[in-house]
Amino acid sequence: MSKDSKEKAAGPLPFPRGTFSAGVALQLLALFCLWISGRIPFSPDEYSICSKSGSIYTVDETNPQVECISIRGSRISYTESFQELQERTRRKNSASRLQNWLMSRFFGSSIRISYIASDAIVVPGLADAHAHIMNNGFKMQLDLDSCKSLAEVIDSVKAYIQSHPDIHNNSSRWIQGGGWDQTKWLEKRFPTAADFDADPLLEGRPIALQRVDGHASWVSNRVLQIIGKLPADVEGGSIIRDSSGAPTGVFLDNAMSLIPAPEWTDEQMAVFFDTTMKVALSYGLTSIHDAGSSPMMIQFMKSYAETGKIPMRLYVMGHVSSDEYWGSQIPRLVNYGKHRRLTIRSVKLVVDGALGSWGAALLEPYSDKSDTSGIMRSTPKAISDLVNQFWKDGWQVNIHCIGDRANHVVLDIFEDLIKVGNANITEWRPRIEHAQIMTAEDLERTGRLGIIASVQPTHATSDMWYAETRLGPNRIEGAYAYRTLLNGSQKHILPLGSDFPVEGVNPLLGFYAAVSRLSVDGTSPHGGGGWYSSEALTRAQVLKGMTLDAAYASFTEHEIGSLTPGKKADFVVLDRNIMRVPMEEILGTRVVVTVVDGKVAYGALP
Ligand SMILES: [Zn+2]
């Protein structure tokens, strides 16, 4: 205010001095009223983006496609046709001389309009409703994703050591990475500690490499020595052993906590965090639901938020691996930090393992391993006690459930709280993360109870090559059943995520997988038409799942998730129309610009 008054006093006056005070007061009042009522747009930081083909997809059902979007400050001020924008500009130009003078004095002289290319589109900022920010950065230091054999993994580890002299020269330094997947290897077997020791450069070093799903860890003999005496078995986990009973070097689920890897330092966390943010923004993500951060990671993110170093919206679920109530170990933060981008009001529980390592808890034994039905990491009673306490304390509860048994147990707990405990589903919004394998009754029950299923379409296309072998022809019907879950949902929502680093960070991988049910090379066990294609989603459903539905799952549907006047100006310009191009062209799409809070966070405005 004081700056404006000073400018006003210093500027020339376009009318006789005697009439100034009353006249200007009235004009100002009129202008203020016009401004408040939104009839005249003016703001120094206002700009508009237009698409001549009307390819601005708003995900706002009252106005799904528009030609222009205007941004004022950190918010969307208008979505409209080009003609409407022109009329507003004209109204502005036809305002009285005094109004124009005041407008340029106080609010800047014109609206900046830029046009996107004819093939390009604008969509709301994309959300990843389930991902692991720190683990992604951690994995990127030694990423084994693309390895097609065990030998390739060993070569990658060697190359990593050779390119890090500090590690090369110090054989006691831990080597950590992740992304290996034995189902993709020539060998098709679980690796062993002995595989490391066969190489002189690796022999004797502490090495721990996580499986792609994060549910198994493969360690070297040096790590086994450091651990020392192992327990006979681990509740909710397992230690793989050879025929003589000796550990082979692979630990599953809860047994992974036996591995004494050094804690991450703040410097390491900064690298992991920044690496992931940079990559995510380059793919058009403006919001990430972090599916489980420890109190230590949360402390780090909190201080990062305070200094304004978080470049997008983060919805972080607190996580501690314990059956003892741990709600007091994490701070409750809503729109926290310098840019108000960090929110922590939810927790993540994990009740079973993953399908790839036979860890998903099933109601019946695995079809390809009849001696196991997977792993429940906690007893139903312990899970129920935790869920009840978190609900009482006002935390949204998001639970990892892959197998049909895990889903069933958790739905029982949620149903009990809703029906007996009178939990208000709209206020609480509990989520099942993955909701991967369910009985037909539980698919129906999820929707009926209003439980949010948070799913990752690339899991379907990654697992489709072995899922039916693991589950058999009947159970597979209720697996990765995205269309069924969406159709059954009370609010018709299905938030979508990637689970990166388990899958790639690029949300278009999920977009493509959900609409095509094909792997990136266009194949599937059912051919080019897609794997169980009746469970595919439409492009509009997928876009909504990656925007507005994810916003709902994080209590922010009134702030983000669609291009609606008044909401935060988070949006992305893509260089091709993913809503229309042939399926196989979706993955060639590039991000032109990612905008968060009205400001460019990646790329450049057209
Ligand atoms: Zn996850």
Side-chain angles (χ1 to χ4, degrees), residues 287-591:
S287 129
I288 296 177
H289 301 191
D290 185 274
S293 275
S294 67
M296 181 184 77
M297 295 181 204
I298 286 174
Q299 206 47 48
F300 169 86
M301 290 192 218
K302 184 166 175 276
S303 66
Y304 241 48
E306 284 159 2
T307 49
K309 287 197 261 188
I310 295 189
M312 66 169 70
R313 281 171 231 296
L314 299 186
Y315 187 76
V316 176
M317 310 172 200
H319 174 70
V320 172
S321 216
S322 168
D323 285 349
E324 296 293 314
Y325 185 66
W326 42 267
S328 56
Q329 292 184 43
I330 45 173
R332 198 183 159 87
L333 309 170
V334 175
N335 298 332
Y336 184 79
K338 195 170 165 195
H339 299 124
R340 302 170 56 79
R341 289 177 184 161
L342 177 64
T343 292
I344 303 172
R345 55 171 298 180
S346 64
V347 294
K348 160 91 176 291
L349 309 182
V350 180
V351 306
D352 70 341
L355 190 66
S357 45
W358 294 273
L362 300 179
L363 293 163
E364 303 289 336
Y366 277 86
S367 301
D368 61 344
K369 209 171 195 288
S370 59
D371 61 341
T372 180
S373 305
I375 297 170
M376 278 298 277
R377 293 174 69 149
S378 303
T379 63
K381 166 88 171 70
I383 303 162
S384 171
D385 288 350
L386 270 183
V387 174
N388 271 272
Q389 193 58 49
F390 277 116
W391 168 69
K392 275 193 198 116
D393 284 358
W395 293 93
Q396 182 194 37
V397 178
N398 307 336
I399 310 187
H400 163 116
C401 301
I402 303 258
D404 52 10
R405 174 162 156 74
N407 278 291
H408 190 78
V409 165
V410 165
L411 282 168
D412 281 349
I413 294 168
F414 283 157
E415 181 164 23
D416 193 56
L417 252 169
I418 293 162
K419 290 193 171 156
V420 183
N422 282 323
N424 180 318
I425 194 73
T426 309
E427 276 170 23
W428 186 31
R429 304 189 190 185
R431 296 166 48 164
I432 292 186
E433 301 299 318
H434 309 306
Q436 209 169 87
I437 302 149
M438 285 199 191
T439 61
E441 298 74 45
D442 282 344
L443 283 167
E444 186 275 329
R445 182 159 64 136
T446 305
R448 175 163 43 80
L449 293 174
I451 309 297
I452 298 172
S454 158
V455 302
Q456 300 75 36
T458 37
H459 284 349
T461 52
S462 290
D463 299 358
M464 64 186 173
W465 303 102
Y466 65 80
E468 192 154 349
T469 315
R470 295 265 194 288
L471 299 171
N474 297 327
R475 279 187 293 208
I476 199 72
E477 301 272 324
Y480 316 89
Y482 307 144
R483 176 70 73 107
T484 304
L485 281 166
L486 177 60
N487 287 346
S489 160
Q490 251 182 37
K491 297 214 183 291
H492 207 65
I493 63 159
L494 189 69
L496 302 177
S498 69
D499 206 7
F500 72 66
V502 177
E503 306 281 355
V505 178
N506 183 357
L508 292 183
L509 290 165
F511 190 99
Y512 167 84
V515 298
S516 73
R517 307 277 290 193
L518 292 168
S519 62
V520 293
D521 61 4
T523 59
S524 88
H526 294 171
W531 188 58
Y532 291 102
S533 56
S534 60
E535 294 295 345
L537 303 173
T538 67
R539 299 187 196 205
Q541 286 169 341
V542 177
L543 184 61
K544 181 165 170 278
M546 293 185 165
T547 52
L548 196 54
D549 293 353
Y552 183 85
S554 59
F555 301 88
T556 46
E557 72 275 17
H558 298 299
E559 277 291 280
I560 56 173
S562 66
L563 302 178
T564 303
K567 282 194 179 183
K568 288 287 190 180
D570 295 358
F571 62 92
V572 189
V573 178
L574 302 172
D575 75 345
R576 66 179 76 173
N577 190 336
I578 54 167
M579 307 305 281
R580 283 171 187 270
V581 293
M583 204 103 82
E584 62 276 11
E585 285 183 32
I586 292 171
L587 289 174
T589 308
R590 294 161 58 94
V591 171

Side-chain angles (χ1 to χ4, degrees), residues 39-41 46 48 50 52 67-70 78-94 111 113 115:
R39 287 185 54 208
I40 292 185
E46 178 163 349
S48 302
C50 294
K52 288 177 179 156
E67 287 172 333
C68 297
I69 169 180
S70 298
Y78 292 88
T79 55
E80 59 202 336
S81 67
F82 187 64
Q83 199 184 343
E84 286 167 322
L85 174 65
Q86 273 184 319
E87 272 166 25
R88 276 200 300 126
T89 317
R90 218 176 301 125
R91 270 211 301 281
K92 180 179 172 180
N93 292 339
S94 66
I111 303 170
I113 302 176
Y115 298 88

Side-chain angles (χ1 to χ4, degrees), residues 97-286:
R97 205 170 133 224
L98 176 63
Q99 281 174 328
N100 274 331
W101 179 80
L102 285 167
M103 278 188 247
S104 62
R105 210 66 197 144
F106 293 117
F107 306 109
S109 55
S110 61
I111 303 170
R112 284 170 289 145
I113 302 176
S114 41
Y115 298 88
I116 60 170
S118 57
D119 300 341
I121 67 168
V122 180
V123 295
L126 300 173
D128 190 318
H130 182 120
H132 302 272
I133 295 167
M134 290 295 193
N135 285 329
N136 185 67
F138 167 80
K139 184 189 144 192
M140 281 175 78
Q141 59 182 343
L142 174 52
D143 191 346
L144 308 167
D145 243 357
S146 57
C147 295
K148 298 271 181 293
S149 67
L150 212 160
E152 262 186 55
V153 173
I154 299 294
D155 285 345
S156 301
V157 178
K158 285 167 68 179
Y160 174 76
I161 295 171
Q162 275 149 354
S163 62
H164 289 76
D166 50 329
I167 295 174
H168 192 276
N169 299 331
N170 181 352
S171 61
S172 68
R173 281 279 298 274
W174 278 69
I175 295 160
Q176 293 177 272
W180 60 270
D181 182 352
Q182 87 287 355
T183 68
K184 286 193 206 159
W185 293 347
L186 291 172
E187 295 87 353
K188 302 275 181 218
R189 65 161 170 95
F190 260 157
T192 67
D195 292 319
F196 291 125
D197 286 327
D199 189 282
L201 183 63
L202 307 190
E203 193 187 353
R205 291 178 185 265
I207 307 172
L209 305 177
Q210 280 201 11
R211 192 177 184 280
V212 63
D213 57 16
H215 288 270
S217 195
W218 162 31
V219 303
S220 61
N221 274 316
R222 179 74 195 111
V223 173
L224 291 175
Q225 282 166 10
I226 297 170
I227 299 172
K229 194 171 158 34
L230 284 168
D233 51 6
V234 178
E235 189 74 39
S238 86
I239 302 163
I240 308 228
R241 294 171 192 275
D242 63 19
S243 51
S244 71
T248 65
V250 176
F251 294 71
L252 301 183
D253 291 300
N254 285 357
M256 291 163 62
S257 63
L258 296 168
I259 300 165
E263 268 199 357
W264 294 343
T265 62
D266 273 1
E267 292 74 36
Q268 277 178 302
M269 283 195 282
V271 172
F272 299 160
F273 185 87
D274 293 343
T275 306
T276 301
M277 288 296 110
K278 210 171 146 198
V279 175
L281 286 168
S282 77
Y283 284 126
L285 289 171
T286 59

